[in-house]
Protein backbone atom coordinates (compact mmCIF):
# COMPACT_ATOMS: atom_id res chain seq x y z
CA UNK A 1 0.00 0.00 0.00
CA UNK A 2 1.33 3.44 -0.88
CA UNK A 3 2.07 6.13 1.64
CA UNK A 4 0.35 9.51 1.19
CA UNK A 5 0.82 13.12 2.32
CA UNK A 6 -1.67 15.58 3.73
CA UNK A 7 -1.36 19.37 3.58
CA UNK A 8 -3.48 22.45 4.22
CA UNK A 9 -4.59 24.27 1.08
CA UNK A 10 -4.35 27.85 2.34
CA UNK A 11 -6.16 30.66 0.53
CA UNK A 12 -8.54 28.35 -1.32
CA UNK A 13 -12.26 28.20 -0.53
CA UNK A 14 -13.27 25.08 -2.45
CA UNK A 15 -12.06 22.29 -4.70
CA UNK A 16 -13.33 24.33 -7.64
CA UNK A 17 -11.10 27.23 -6.55
CA UNK A 18 -8.09 24.91 -6.40
CA UNK A 19 -8.86 23.50 -9.86
CA UNK A 20 -9.25 27.00 -11.31
CA UNK A 21 -6.02 28.17 -9.68
CA UNK A 22 -4.07 25.23 -11.12
CA UNK A 23 -5.61 25.70 -14.58
CA UNK A 24 -4.72 29.40 -14.52
CA UNK A 25 -1.11 28.74 -13.50
CA UNK A 26 -0.64 26.03 -16.12
CA UNK A 27 -2.21 28.11 -18.91
CA UNK A 28 -0.18 31.20 -17.91
CA UNK A 29 2.96 29.36 -18.91
CA UNK A 30 4.32 28.71 -15.43
CA UNK A 31 5.33 25.29 -16.67
CA UNK A 32 3.79 22.12 -17.95
CA UNK A 33 3.74 20.50 -14.55
CA UNK A 34 1.81 21.35 -11.45
CA UNK A 35 4.16 21.81 -8.56
CA UNK A 36 4.03 22.79 -4.92
CA UNK A 37 7.17 23.86 -3.06
CA UNK A 38 7.59 22.93 0.57
CA UNK A 39 10.40 23.30 3.05
CA UNK A 40 11.37 19.72 3.79
CA UNK A 41 12.01 16.73 1.53
CA UNK A 42 10.11 13.68 2.84
CA UNK A 43 12.42 10.93 4.06
CA UNK A 44 9.89 8.39 2.80
CA UNK A 45 9.48 9.96 -0.65
CA UNK A 46 10.18 6.69 -2.47
CA UNK A 47 7.07 5.16 -0.86
CA UNK A 48 4.86 7.88 -2.36
CA UNK A 49 6.18 8.42 -5.89
CA UNK A 50 3.84 7.05 -8.53
CA UNK A 51 1.41 5.47 -6.08
CA UNK A 52 0.74 7.95 -3.30
CA UNK A 53 -1.32 11.13 -3.31
CA UNK A 54 -1.27 14.55 -1.72
CA UNK A 55 -4.53 15.02 0.17
CA UNK A 56 -5.59 18.66 0.42
CA UNK A 57 -7.36 20.06 3.49
CA UNK A 58 -9.66 22.86 2.33
CA UNK A 59 -11.61 24.91 4.88
CA UNK A 60 -11.01 22.39 7.66
CA UNK A 61 -11.84 19.23 5.69
CA UNK A 62 -9.94 16.79 3.55
CA UNK A 63 -11.81 17.13 0.25
CA UNK A 64 -9.57 16.16 -2.66
CA UNK A 65 -6.37 14.35 -3.53
CA UNK A 66 -3.84 14.56 -6.33
CA UNK A 67 -1.43 11.79 -7.39
CA UNK A 68 2.24 12.47 -6.62
CA UNK A 69 4.52 12.08 -9.63
CA UNK A 70 7.87 12.88 -8.03
CA UNK A 71 9.85 15.01 -5.59
CA UNK A 72 12.62 17.34 -6.77
CA UNK A 73 15.27 18.86 -4.53
CA UNK A 74 15.65 22.51 -5.53
CA UNK A 75 17.52 25.59 -4.35
CA UNK A 76 15.45 28.77 -4.25
CA UNK A 77 16.70 32.22 -5.22
CA UNK A 78 17.60 32.93 -1.60
CA UNK A 79 19.90 29.88 -1.58
CA UNK A 80 17.68 27.70 0.64
CA UNK A 81 17.16 24.06 -0.25
CA UNK A 82 13.50 23.12 -0.68
CA UNK A 83 11.38 20.27 -1.99
CA UNK A 84 9.27 20.61 -5.11
CA UNK A 85 6.34 18.20 -5.15
CA UNK A 86 5.28 17.45 -8.73
CA UNK A 87 1.59 16.55 -8.88
CA UNK A 88 -0.59 15.13 -11.59
CA UNK A 89 -3.19 17.86 -12.28
CA UNK A 90 -6.02 15.38 -11.71
CA UNK A 91 -8.36 16.12 -8.82
CA UNK A 92 -9.94 13.09 -7.17
CA UNK A 93 -12.65 14.14 -4.73
CA UNK A 94 -12.76 12.30 -1.45
CA UNK A 95 -15.37 11.89 1.20
CA UNK A 96 -15.10 15.06 3.30
CA UNK A 97 -13.33 14.39 6.59
CA UNK A 98 -12.77 17.11 9.22
CA UNK A 99 -9.11 17.91 9.94
CA UNK A 100 -7.71 20.38 12.46
CA UNK A 101 -5.08 22.88 11.29
CA UNK A 102 -1.43 21.88 11.40
CA UNK A 103 1.81 23.27 10.02
CA UNK A 104 3.64 21.89 7.01
CA UNK A 105 2.68 18.48 5.73
CA UNK A 106 2.20 15.11 7.38
CA UNK A 107 2.43 11.52 6.24
CA UNK A 108 -0.96 9.88 5.78
CA UNK A 109 -1.22 6.13 6.10
CA UNK A 110 -3.50 4.37 3.59
CA UNK A 111 -5.79 3.15 6.39
CA UNK A 112 -6.31 6.77 7.53
CA UNK A 113 -6.88 8.24 4.06
CA UNK A 114 -10.45 9.21 3.17
CA UNK A 115 -12.07 7.10 0.46
CA UNK A 116 -12.67 8.48 -3.00
CA UNK A 117 -16.24 9.56 -3.66
CA UNK A 118 -16.46 7.05 -6.47
CA UNK A 119 -18.91 6.62 -9.25
CA UNK A 120 -22.45 6.74 -7.88
CA UNK A 121 -21.69 9.33 -5.18
CA UNK A 122 -21.09 12.58 -7.08
CA UNK A 123 -21.48 15.31 -4.50
CA UNK A 124 -19.73 17.88 -6.69
CA UNK A 125 -23.11 19.33 -7.66
CA UNK A 126 -23.70 20.36 -4.06
CA UNK A 127 -22.29 23.75 -3.08
CA UNK A 128 -19.02 23.33 -1.16
CA UNK A 129 -20.46 25.10 1.91
CA UNK A 130 -23.31 22.58 2.04
CA UNK A 131 -20.92 19.62 1.62
CA UNK A 132 -18.79 21.01 4.44
CA UNK A 133 -21.80 21.47 6.74
CA UNK A 134 -23.15 17.98 6.01
CA UNK A 135 -19.76 16.48 6.76
CA UNK A 136 -19.49 18.41 10.04
CA UNK A 137 -22.88 16.99 11.03
CA UNK A 138 -21.65 13.48 10.19
CA UNK A 139 -24.13 13.06 7.36
CA UNK A 140 -21.50 12.47 4.68
Amino acid sequence: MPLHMIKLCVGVDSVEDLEAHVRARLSAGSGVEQTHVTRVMPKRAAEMVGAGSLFWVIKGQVQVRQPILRFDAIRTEDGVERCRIVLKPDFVRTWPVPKRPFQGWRYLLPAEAPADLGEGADLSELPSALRRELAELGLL
Side-chain angles (χ1 to χ4, degrees), residues 66-117:
Q66 290 185 267
I68 298 171
L69 297 176
R70 70 177 188 277
F71 296 92
D72 297 335
I74 62 168
R75 187 175 300 275
T76 57
E77 293 175 6
D78 58 359
V80 177
E81 289 193 19
R82 304 270 186 216
C83 172
R84 179 187 298 140
I85 306 168
V86 181
L87 302 166
K88 190 172 184 180
D90 293 344
F91 299 89
V92 181
R93 291 174 187 269
T94 65
W95 286 99
V97 174
K99 186 72 174 172
R100 290 185 176 269
F102 57 93
Q103 289 187 334
W105 55 264
R106 300 284 184 266
Y107 292 116
L108 183 64
L109 300 174
E112 298 170 351
D116 295 347
L117 279 179

Side-chain angles (χ1 to χ4, degrees), residues 25-140:
R25 287 188 65 196
L26 291 176
S27 66
S30 65
V32 295
E33 297 178 317
Q34 181 195 349
T35 63
H36 180 77
V37 177
T38 188
R39 235 176 54 159
V40 180
M41 175 71 75
K43 290 179 178 25
R44 299 174 67 183
E47 296 176 59
M48 293 182 273
V49 172
S53 291
L54 175 59
F55 285 76
W56 290 109
V57 178
I58 301 172
K59 293 292 185 181
Q61 293 184 337
V62 181
Q63 297 185 38
V64 66
R65 69 177 178 86
Q66 290 185 267
I68 298 171
L69 297 176
R70 70 177 188 277
F71 296 92
D72 297 335
I74 62 168
R75 187 175 300 275
T76 57
E77 293 175 6
D78 58 359
V80 177
E81 289 193 19
R82 304 270 186 216
C83 172
R84 179 187 298 140
I85 306 168
V86 181
L87 302 166
K88 190 172 184 180
D90 293 344
F91 299 89
V92 181
R93 291 174 187 269
T94 65
W95 286 99
V97 174
K99 186 72 174 172
R100 290 185 176 269
F102 57 93
Q103 289 187 334
W105 55 264
R106 300 284 184 266
Y107 292 116
L108 183 64
L109 300 174
E112 298 170 351
D116 295 347
L117 279 179
E119 291 296 317
D122 186 15
L123 300 179
S124 63
E125 299 299 318
L126 292 176
S128 58
L130 180 58
R131 283 195 311 264
R132 192 169 34 253
E133 191 171 336
L134 290 171
E136 287 171 1
L137 293 171
L139 299 173
L140 289 181

